[in-house]
Amino acid sequence: MGKPVLLSVDDDPGVSRAVARDLRRRYGEAFRVLRATSGAEALDALRELKLRGDPVAVLLADQRMPGMSGVEFLEQAMDLFPRARRALLTAYADTEAAIAAINLVDVDSYLLKPWDPPEEKLYPVVDAMVDAWRQTPDSGVEEIKLVGHRWSAPSFRARDLLARNAVPYRWYSADEPEGRRLLRAADAGPDDVPVVITPDARILRAPTEAQLAAVAGLGVEPREEFYDLAVVGGGPAGLGAAVYGASEGLRTVLIEREATGGQAGQSSRIENYLGFPDGVSGGQLADRARRQAVRFGAELLLARDVVALEAHGPKRVLRLDDGRALAAHAVVLATGVSYRSLGVAGADELTGRGVFYGSAMTEAIECCDRDVFVVGGANSAGQAAVFFAGYARSVSLLVRGPSLEASMSTYLIEQLAGIRSIAVRTCTSVEAVHGDGHLETITVRDGRTGGRETLETGHLFVFIGGAPRTGWLDGAVVRDERGFLPTGPDLLREGTGPPGWPLERDPYFLESSLPGVFVAGDARAESVKRVASAVGEGAMAVTLVHRYLEER
């Protein structure tokens, strides 16, 4: 494998030479600097690099090129090198191109030419992109081989964990010749799946999620025993708290049981988030926030579950599922919510085998030319229906209520109405799911007539309600009857603090019944279930953490 590549594309030969010259001057020792004068020429170069196995770190593309614009080039280049960081070059401010670059190719930066002096205008941008490329989870892992069964729940969970954490892997079905060959080479049988084979030939048979995360290069062990701030949960609220905490100088650790982004990270398209007029995928938003938190110095601890919270004097101690413990001056609980179980006959047995909670985007290809059913009437269900409509023959949205207006945003209702392959079935609920080893049919009931119907399908995606992930906090902080966490004013009753409140002051707005433990996002009682509000609460929680630390 050769040096990582920095590739610039510009149809102006003089500019092209100048870019390459400036890049070689600073990065020539560690990187190979290449240049091309058209998008087509650059794509040919990338294909050759791909065949040779050479990594590409940064792509710089001029926007206004004949034949293929910079955005069009970067969009195609992503298929070859998805990890490469991307910047768009232009000679003047081009708002339309900037918006397209953000929404289509998740561009990292937008550079105006000329950039003299490069020490001020070019190098800081390229430095940030190189750092982001090096910090991506797979920086030390070329490709993981994953062997499993198509309808195996553990195999699905392994695929989902790798995909949501942006770890590259190659999937092999244990029922196909190449999969069987790999199982034999690993001295494994069909009952050992999923089987993981790393690039350095390590073999894991039916690994836990933490074991899989470790070999994939994700952080699974805390680097320290004590922090200023510990954030539990890696959704928008948790990422917001980690970014603001670390950027303001707090030693910050974020602990996430699955992957950063939470439920929002699984969304195929968020179209009402401020600053993204054409929408942004949840995965893109989560990746940007994760990289931002790491750049400010936050530590990410993934595939670890927190099982207990304890107060030891001024310390707040978090106990992890592997028996370890870490302590902090303050804690932000941003555990979010989980989709509620379908709760019908057959659902538990077929979870991960055709019944999925959330978008499960790794299943998209399997939905091609098939009939897919989505359960739920809120935005997450509508976004999933739009996403799967791009693959499936038909998508049926099953809604228990009489309409979508009470629970779904207007823009999304209009979008669903404009897609011919999507059918919205109101007053409809799932009564049972059936299948031998995997989902084959579902039984639905019409709430208006009471009639029942059995429908054939291999894919049912469930987006109903939200159960807070707070059971592990029972006895540590006050929870309401639904399991959500009251904070601040909601804890006060007739001018008194919550039971056992030890301080003379009232709890801060986002503070739980345990001083120094704050709550942000969907897990908080009476919170607004929106991505923007969750991010805002994460930032606000850090401000209150500073107040708490100053009074100690």
Side-chain angles (χ1 to χ4, degrees), residues 290 341 520:
R290 177 191 61 77
S341 171

Coordinates of all heavy atoms in Angstrom, one line a residue, residues 290 341 520:
R290 N -19.9 13.7 15.6 CA -18.9 12.8 16.2 C -17.5 13.3 15.9 O -16.7 13.4 16.9 CB -19.1 11.4 15.7 CG -18.0 10.4 16.2 CD -18.1 9.1 15.5 NE -17.8 9.3 14.0 CZ -16.5 9.5 13.5 NH1 -15.5 9.5 14.4 NH2 -16.4 9.6 12.3
S341 N -41.9 -2.1 21.7 CA -42.1 -3.4 21.1 C -43.4 -3.5 20.5 O -44.4 -2.9 20.9 CB -41.9 -4.5 22.2 OG -42.3 -5.8 21.6
A520 N -30.9 15.6 29.2 CA -31.1 16.4 28.0 C -31.7 15.4 26.9 O -31.4 14.2 26.9 CB -29.7 16.9 27.4

